[in-house]
Every structure is written in C-alpha cells, then in structure tokens.
C-alpha cells in the first residue's frame, strides 16, 4: 500500500486542480452578459463555450495517449498555464469586441489547457488508489463540478463588483488568479514510484483494436448523449431560468442575475456531488448498472420539465440532471479501467473524453438555436431533444459488456 498521507495529499491537489478548471462550467453566468453587452447572438456567444469544451475533449484524448511519454506533471503544468492564458487573451478580445479573438483565447487556448490539465489528475489519482477507484476518481472529478460554484458565487461577482461590471477586466483578473494557483497545485501531480518508469517507458500497447471495438463505441455514444443532456443546462441554465422568472413578472435585472447565479452555484454543488456519490455507488452497484440508473432518472426529469414552466421545478430539475451528469464523469474512469485494464486506462479514458468534446458542441448549440429561433419554447424544445437522446443511451447500456481486467 502506498504511503497513506502522501497519496491523500496528492488526491487533494488533484481535486484542487479540477476545482480551478471547473470554473469553465460557469459559462452560463457570462452567456447573457456577453450577448447583451456586445450584441452577439446566443449562438455566436455560445460557440465560445462549445469550442472550449470541444478542445478539452480532443486534447484530453491526446493527453491520455501521450501521458506515458511526457509525464503527468509536465502535462498538468502546461495545461494550467494555457487555461490561465485563455482568460487573459479573452481580456483583449472583449476589450476590442473581437468575437474571433474570444474564440481563440477562451475557446482554443483555454480549451487546450483544460484538456491537458484535466486528464492528468484523474490518471494520477487512479494509480495512487487501486483499492478505491470509484471513491477517489469521484472525489477528483467532483472538484471539476464544483468549479462553477467557485466562479458564479465568488470570483466573478467579486471582480465584476470591483471593476464596476467590466467584463474585460473581470476576465483578466480571473486569468491572473488562475496563473498563480493552478500551476502551484499541478506541480504536485506525480505518479507513484513504481509507476514513474512507465511514464517514459518505450513499451507499446496498441489500443486501436479496443478503441474501434463495438463495446467501446457503445460506451462512447452513451457517454456523449449524457454529456449533451447536461450541456443543455450548463451552457444556458441562468438565461433559461431568467426567461421563466420574467414570464412570472420578475423584471429587476439584479434579482434575475442573482437568482441565475444561485442556480449555477446550486447545480454546481449537485454536479460535484454526483461525481463523488455515483462514483462511490458504482463500486457496489457496478459501473453499467449505475450508469443505467442515472440515465433513467434523467429521462424522468426531462419528461417532467417538458410539461412545466415553473421556475422552482425547473431549478430542481437542473440540479437533478447535473447530479447525474456529474455521475457519468464519476463512473466512466472506473468503467474504462475495469474494461480495458490499467495499462490502457489513460489512453482509453482520453479517447472516451472526445465524447465530452462532441457533446460540448452539440448541447450548447441545441439550446442556443432554440433560444434564437423559438423564444419562450426554447427550453421545452431542448428538453425534448435531450429526452430522445437519453432514451437511446439507456438502450445502449444493455449492450455494453464490463468484463473486469486489472492488467
């Protein structure tokens, strides 16, 4: 057994890295403000977030495959710096009202940083805790889910208030904060002693047969659909709630923004807890059984949301969906490791995260399209699309095999 104190310290550092990276999930806090301030459409603005999540998924895939070659600490440090620079570049983009530069800074540079830094904490924690896979990987990715809470209720409000609602200066301040703390936390991410030699090993294990197997494709597709369902809310939960509140007669903009930020914070808490709770539960229930249960619960919630426009019910629904969305991220790392073994874990998990990238484009753009074209029915239409995809995902869980491997 590894040194208990050291491995828990590394697990905490990994969680803090994810906490900082997870601030990207507070994008809906900025979505309405950016759209209204600069006159861009919902779809144009949402592409900023979509590009970031797409680059996250693709780069995490590359990072997982190349983790043994470059080492965990190096990838985490590079990713931390790039994510911070994404906010700093966004300062210049917003100051000059350049949508293209915003795509480049927040989307491409920040997204690449997210991908490089995201996959490493999960892989490192998995190596340090072979005996508590679901518990510890759930704890680490819980940090990512809680990042939106950190941003929506602390960082963004503090800086917006201090800089008198200046979006450019707020993004710059956030970037500087990230540049100070993220590399500090990332510097502690190292593999256990017996694993370090494998980080630079020349041994090759061909993952292609497994990547293109029917079983992995099913896992990838059901994960993609779970991501799309969550992203429908993550990208637009604040604007969608504000629309419902306006329909009930609330017109004070500060109150609307406060309630939107509160929902982001609450759903972030559920997102984070879902990663921990469902990840831990999967140790006892089994990975596929757990994934099936959380998708069934999501299907019931989306069905209910289609038939109600009550702001409170909407908020409860968002929290439950994000609890289960987070749960998917808590289950997948252990599912992949059990299905494909420790040697292929980083590679296969990295490839699985391309589902996050694809879902990160489709989910926000579904809601953006609905808001730009269907007004008050935007939410209902988005929920129907999500329900359809989730039902397919439930069906796929019955075709996935989870034969445990430890090598």
């Amino acid at each position: 057994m590894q040194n208990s104190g050291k491995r828990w310290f590394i697990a905490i550092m990994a969680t803090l890295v994810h906490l900082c990276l997870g601030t990207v999930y507070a994008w809906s806090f900025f979505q309405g403000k950016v759209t209204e301030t600069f006159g861009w459409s919902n779809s144009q603005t949402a592409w900023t977030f979509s590009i970031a999540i797409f680059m996250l998924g693709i780069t995490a895939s590359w990072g997982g495959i190349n983790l043994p070659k470059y080492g965990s600490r190096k990838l985490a440090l590079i990713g931390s710096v790039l994510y911070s620079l994404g906010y700093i570049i966004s300062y210049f983009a917003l100051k000059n009202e350049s949508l293209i530069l915003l795509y480049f800074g927040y989307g491409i540079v920040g997204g690449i940083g997210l991908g490089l830094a995201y996959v490493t904490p999960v892989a490192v924690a998995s190596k340090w805790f072979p005996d508590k896979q679901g518990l510890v990987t759930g704890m680490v990715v819980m940090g990512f889910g809680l990042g939106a809470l950190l941003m929506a209720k602390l960082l963004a409000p503090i800086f917006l208030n201090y800089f008198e609602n200046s979006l450019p200066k707020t993004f710059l301040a956030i970037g500087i904060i990230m540049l100070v703390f993220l590399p500090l936390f990332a510097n502690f991410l190292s593999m256990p002693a017996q694993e370090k030699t494998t980080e630079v090993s020349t041994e090759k294990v061909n993952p292609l047969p497994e990547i293109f197997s029917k079983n992995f494709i099913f896992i990838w597709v059901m994960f993609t659909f779970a991501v799309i369902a969550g992203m429908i809310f993550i990208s637009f939960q604040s604007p969608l709630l504000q629309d419902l509140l306006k329909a009930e007669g609330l017109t004070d903009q500060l109150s609307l923004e406060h309630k939107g930020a509160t929902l982001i914070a609450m759903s972030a808490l559920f997102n984070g807890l879902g990663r921990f709770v469902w990840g831990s539960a999967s140790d006892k229930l089994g990975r596929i059984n757990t994934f099936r249960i959380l998708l069934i619960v999501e299907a019931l919630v989306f069905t209910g949301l289609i038939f109600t426009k009550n702001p409170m019910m909407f908020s409860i629904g968002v929290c439950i969906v994000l609890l289960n969305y987070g749960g998917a991220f808590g289950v997948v790392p252990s599912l992949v490791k059990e299905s494909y073994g420790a040697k292929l874990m980083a590679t296969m998990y990295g490839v699985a995260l391309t589902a996050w990238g694809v879902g990160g484009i489709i989910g926000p753009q579904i809601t953006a399209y609905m808001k730009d074209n269907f007004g008050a029915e935007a939410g209902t239409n988005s929920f129907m699309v999500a329900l359809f995809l989730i039902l397919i995902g439930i069906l796929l869980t019955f075709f996935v095999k989870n034969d445990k491997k430890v090598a």
Side-chain angles (χ1 to χ4, degrees):
M1 184 63 62
Q2 305 292 340
N3 179 282
S4 180
K6 181 176 181 179
R7 71 174 188 159
W8 279 109
F9 174 77
I10 290 176
I12 291 170
M13 291 299 104
T15 304
L16 289 174
V17 169
H18 268 205
L19 179 68
C20 293
L21 299 176
T23 53
V24 71
Y25 270 179
W27 176 256
S28 72
F29 182 91
F30 297 111
Q31 171 72 28
K33 293 178 180 293
V34 172
T35 300
E36 293 169 9
T37 302
F38 301 102
W40 300 322
S41 70
N42 281 289
S43 183
Q44 286 176 314
T45 305
W47 269 110
T48 309
F49 179 71
S50 290
I51 293 170
I53 300 300
F54 177 75
M55 296 307 299
L56 188 167
I58 299 304
T59 309
S61 175
W62 181 92
I65 294 170
N66 289 278
L67 181 63
K69 179 179 179 181
Y70 294 103
S72 53
R73 181 182 285 113
K74 182 181 292 185
L75 286 186
L77 285 171
I78 293 172
S80 296
V81 171
L82 288 177
Y83 181 60
S84 305
L85 289 177
Y87 277 101
I88 294 172
I89 295 172
S90 297
Y91 159 76
F92 295 100
L94 296 175
K95 186 177 180 181
N96 293 282
E97 300 187 14
S98 173
L99 186 60
I100 298 300
L101 187 57
L102 185 62
Y103 290 165
F104 173 74
Y106 192 96
I108 296 177
V109 176
I112 290 173
L114 280 168
L116 291 178
Y118 180 89
V119 72
T120 304
V122 177
V124 169
S126 177
K127 292 291 187 181
W128 278 96
F129 289 87
D131 55 323
K132 294 181 174 67
Q133 285 292 296
L135 173 67
V136 174
T137 57
M139 183 185 87
V140 173
V141 296
M142 177 180 70
F144 199 93
L146 293 176
L149 173 61
L150 173 67
M151 178 64 80
K153 297 303 285 186
L154 186 64
L155 293 180
I158 286 175
F159 289 127
L160 279 171
N161 181 65
Y162 184 80
F163 294 119
E164 298 179 338
N165 288 317
S166 170
L167 284 169
K169 291 179 180 178
T170 296
F171 272 68
L172 178 61
I174 292 170
I176 293 172
I177 290 291
M178 293 296 171
L179 194 57
V180 171
F181 287 100
L182 252 179
L184 175 65
F185 301 143
N187 187 58
F188 293 101
L189 300 183
S190 62
M191 293 290 189
Q194 68 268 31
E195 297 289 345
K196 288 181 180 178
T197 55
T198 65
E199 285 199 336
V200 294
S201 172
T202 57
E203 179 187 0
K204 298 293 183 180
V205 179
N206 182 14
L208 292 180
E210 298 287 12
I211 291 172
F212 291 103
S213 67
K214 184 187 298 184
N215 199 63
F216 185 75
I217 291 172
F218 286 157
I219 292 174
W220 188 92
V221 172
M222 72 181 194
F223 189 26
T224 300
F225 289 166
V227 170
I228 291 172
M231 285 294 172
I232 281 175
F233 284 137
I234 289 171
S235 56
F236 277 91
Q237 58 184 302
S238 179
L240 287 174
L241 175 62
Q242 290 184 44
D243 288 346
L244 294 176
L245 291 169
K246 288 175 183 176
E248 290 202 340
L250 182 62
T251 58
D252 181 68
Q253 189 60 35
L254 287 178
S255 296
L256 289 168
E257 291 179 358
H258 174 72
K259 291 182 181 296
T262 299
L263 177 58
I264 293 172
M266 289 301 298
S267 66
L269 183 61
F270 277 82
N271 185 354
L273 288 174
R275 294 162 189 252
F276 181 77
V277 172
W278 285 115
S280 300
S282 71
D283 286 338
K284 296 181 179 180
L285 300 177
R287 316 305 177 188
I288 292 301
N289 286 338
T290 303
F291 211 100
R292 184 180 303 126
I293 291 169
L294 63 87
L295 288 179
I296 290 172
V297 172
E298 283 193 2
L300 294 174
V301 171
F302 277 116
T303 300
L305 288 177
I306 289 172
F307 296 101
T308 181
K309 294 193 176 184
N310 180 277
M312 180 59 70
M313 295 304 297
F314 171 80
S315 299
I316 293 172
V318 169
C319 289
I320 295 175
V321 168
L322 291 193
L323 178 79
N324 295 343
Y325 168 86
F329 282 88
V331 173
V332 166
S334 301
L335 171 61
V336 168
K337 185 172 183 179
E338 285 186 357
S339 299
Y340 302 101
K343 289 182 179 178
L344 283 176
M345 192 277 176
T347 299
M348 298 300 290
Y349 180 56
V351 175
L353 287 179
T354 61
W356 197 2
V358 173
I361 286 183
I362 297 174
Q365 290 306 314
I366 287 172
T367 316
Y369 176 81
M370 298 301 180
K371 277 192 66 64
D372 283 336
N373 293 277
F374 293 96
E377 298 303 314
T380 301
N381 292 345
S382 299
F383 305 153
M384 287 192 288
V385 174
L387 176 61
F388 175 72
L389 296 179
I390 289 297
L391 290 175
I392 296 176
I394 293 170
L395 180 63
L396 290 178
T397 64
F398 291 96
F399 295 93
V400 173
K401 296 178 181 179
N402 182 203
D403 300 323
K404 293 186 178 181
K405 298 178 183 178
V406 294

